[in-house]
């Protein structure tokens, strides 16, 4: 029903900034909240940030609070993750998730409450 495409990843030195983008296309009428998760070698996929359908509510993992900011466009089909003060431990593949159900308005930390996922974009932070 929907395709998600992430972009903006790359190699950057510690302390630098990157902005990731996630664009949704296809049948987007039931698109609701969106979120970002990440996975690094040897670790389980972990929650990073989430934003409600309206964009007025956000959630962040403790590890990124104060450094990362999630946002979305008014058309609801594009989400961003602004990453500042990057650390080597932020190195991971970052995935965009989409809640695709009529009641999925709220931001959530639960991976199983997202219905669609992008292919991921690699972020590598050098020390």
């Amino acid at each position: 029903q929907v395709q998600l495409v992430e972009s903006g990843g790359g190699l950057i030195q510690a302390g630098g900034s990157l902005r990731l983008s996630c664009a949704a296309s296809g049948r987007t009428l039931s698109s609701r909240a969106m979120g970002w998760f990440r996975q690094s070698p040897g670790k389980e996929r972990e929650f990073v940030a989430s934003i409600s359908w309206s964009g007025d509510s956000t959630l962040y993992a403790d590890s990124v609070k104060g450094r990362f900011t999630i946002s979305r466009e008014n058309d609801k089909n594009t989400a961003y993750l602004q990453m500042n003060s990057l650390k080597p431990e932020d190195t991971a593949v970052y995935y965009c998730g989409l809640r695709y159900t009529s009641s999925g308005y709220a931001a959530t930390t639960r991976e199983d409450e997202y219905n669609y996922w992008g292919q991921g974009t690699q972020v590598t932070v050098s020390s």
Side-chain angles (χ1 to χ4, degrees), residues 29-110:
L29 290 179
S30 293
S31 297
R32 299 293 185 261
M34 299 182 75
W36 290 93
F37 289 71
R38 67 187 182 187
Q39 188 168 29
S40 58
K43 296 184 65 177
E44 184 178 340
R45 184 178 297 190
E46 65 176 349
F47 168 77
V48 177
S50 182
I51 187 166
S52 65
W53 177 84
S54 66
D56 63 0
S57 181
T58 57
L59 298 171
Y60 296 95
D62 288 342
S63 60
V64 306
K65 283 183 179 178
R67 299 189 299 121
F68 291 10
T69 303
I70 189 170
S71 61
R72 69 189 304 168
E73 298 284 1
N74 290 335
D75 66 9
K76 309 294 192 294
N77 293 322
T78 305
Y80 304 98
L81 185 68
Q82 178 66 46
M83 305 184 294
N84 299 325
S85 301
L86 283 162
K87 304 175 180 179
E89 50 263 46
D90 295 317
T91 295
V93 177
Y94 284 71
Y95 297 92
C96 175
L98 171 69
R99 300 193 72 187
Y100 194 83
T101 181
S102 60
S103 60
Y105 293 102
T108 179
T109 64
R110 291 176 58 95

